[in-house]
């Protein structure tokens, strides 16, 4: 079974997907962690981020595994390094590279061959798992998005700076050549701006009939 959740940054997708997966006793699959992990590895290896061929060659050589809901790159658990400002600043650009998206999508589909998952991202309901049993689109106002990121405490930026970073990132995510963030016709749309995490979870659980 696949429960697919899409939406922009700071809508609570990861937290909610994690809680749902726990409640349903299935795996939480965070697709953004793959784009973030690749971005981190590119930065660490000092790859020129304007050289698409170089990026693809490097990405192809990476060993990407998803174990116990953590991303493992070349045998190293990088989960705790994925939400730094520098990764935040470059992940959207890196995730715009179409063949790189194909590498990630293949990986995500491989993982779900043997597992039931709650998978969240930007193109999960539309491109990666268009036949998912349940689909949700979580949205929020820019103010709510920025405040949530700010409260996570993993950024050194001010609230206004975070707002601007999120605005730019969502704009890139909504205008990608492939895998852009759109609302799937058959997804349940939830505006989470004035809802708590628990309230959103309740709405979703009530829509899921297993
Ligand atoms: O969900 P996140 O903020 O961790 O995602 C990091 C970046 O990866 C973000 O810019 C959007 C991109 N992404 C994507 O293009 N497609 C996905 N399925 C998931 C994330």
């Amino acid at each position: 079974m696949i429960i697919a959740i899409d939406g922009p940054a700071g809508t609570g997708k990861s937290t909610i997907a994690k809680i749902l997966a726990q409640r349903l006793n299935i795996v939480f699959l965070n697709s953004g962690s793959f784009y973030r992990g690749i971005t981190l590895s590119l930065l660490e290896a000092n790859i020129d981020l304007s050289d698409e061929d170089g990026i693809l060659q490097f990405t192809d050589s990476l060993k990407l595994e998803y174990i116990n809901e953590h991303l493992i790159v070349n045998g190293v658990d990088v989960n705790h390094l994925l939400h730094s400002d520098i990764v935040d600043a470059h992940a959207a650009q890196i995730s715009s590279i179409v063949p790189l998206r194909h590498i990630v999508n293949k990986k995500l589909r491989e993982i779900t061959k043997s597992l039931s998952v709650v998978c969240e991202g930007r193109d999960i309901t539309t491109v990666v798992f268009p036949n998912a049993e349940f689909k949700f689109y979580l949205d929020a106002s820019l103010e709510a998005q920025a405040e949530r990121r700010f409260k996570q405490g993993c950024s050194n930026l001010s609230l206004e700076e975070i707002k601007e970073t999120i605005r730019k990132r969502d704009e890139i995510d909504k205008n990608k050549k492939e895998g852009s963030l759109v609302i799937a016709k058959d997804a349940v749309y939830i505006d989470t701006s004035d809802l708590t995490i628990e309230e959103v979870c309740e709405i979703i659980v009530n829509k899921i009939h297993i």
Side-chain angles (χ1 to χ4, degrees):
M1 180 184 68
I2 295 173
I3 298 171
I5 304 177
D6 283 325
T11 50
K13 289 189 310 292
S14 292
T15 312
I16 288 158
K18 212 179 284 178
I19 294 173
L20 284 172
Q22 264 169 11
R23 272 210 196 177
L24 302 169
N25 203 18
I26 59 179
V27 169
F28 160 55
L29 181 54
N30 181 336
S31 65
S33 67
F34 285 80
Y35 294 107
R36 287 177 179 273
I38 293 168
T39 304
L40 175 73
S41 302
L42 288 163
L43 290 166
E44 282 178 345
N46 266 320
I47 306 287
D48 175 2
L49 297 189
S50 62
D51 172 15
E52 265 200 37
D53 289 341
I55 289 175
L56 285 171
Q57 206 177 350
F58 178 81
T59 304
D60 248 334
S61 74
L62 290 176
K63 186 173 177 212
L64 301 169
E65 295 171 287
Y66 196 75
I67 302 172
N68 294 332
E69 303 181 346
H70 280 207
L71 183 72
I72 314 292
V73 182
N74 291 341
V76 179
D77 186 338
V78 294
N79 242 55
H80 60 294
L81 302 171
L82 300 181
H83 290 272
S84 63
D85 288 330
I86 179 101
V87 173
D88 255 15
H90 295 287
Q93 180 206 341
I94 296 304
S95 68
S96 302
I97 302 171
V98 172
L100 187 142
R101 301 193 68 80
H102 295 168
I103 295 174
V104 172
N105 292 350
K106 190 165 165 235
K107 215 68 222 167
L108 296 172
R109 292 182 188 124
E110 264 169 32
I111 292 168
T112 56
K113 268 189 199 155
S114 55
L115 291 173
S116 286
V117 299
V118 183
C119 184
E120 58 92 1
R122 303 295 188 289
D123 61 343
I124 305 304
T125 57
T126 52
V127 175
V128 186
F129 300 121
N131 298 321
E133 282 82 351
F134 303 101
K135 297 185 182 185
F136 299 91
Y137 185 99
L138 303 188
D139 213 348
S141 65
L142 185 56
E143 282 67 29
Q145 288 175 277
E147 263 171 42
R148 284 171 186 163
R149 266 290 138 96
F150 188 64
K151 283 184 190 156
Q152 277 175 356
C154 34
S155 173
N156 294 319
L157 305 178
S158 69
L159 184 59
E160 274 311 307
E161 286 167 334
I162 291 180
K163 202 187 271 186
E164 186 50 21
T165 314
I166 291 179
R167 197 192 57 71
K168 276 197 198 133
R169 193 137 66 89
D170 286 347
E171 196 174 294
I172 297 175
D173 286 335
K174 286 177 178 168
N175 291 292
K176 283 178 181 154
K177 271 194 233 132
E178 202 176 299
S180 62
L181 176 62
V182 290
I183 308 172
K185 283 197 191 78
D186 51 353
V188 175
Y189 177 91
I190 306 170
D191 184 341
T192 68
S193 306
D194 299 318
L195 298 174
T196 62
I197 293 289
E198 290 71 26
E199 285 168 333
V200 180
C201 285
E202 271 323 297
I203 295 173
I204 294 181
V205 165
N206 286 329
K207 301 268 180 203
I208 295 174
H209 322 284
I210 306 174

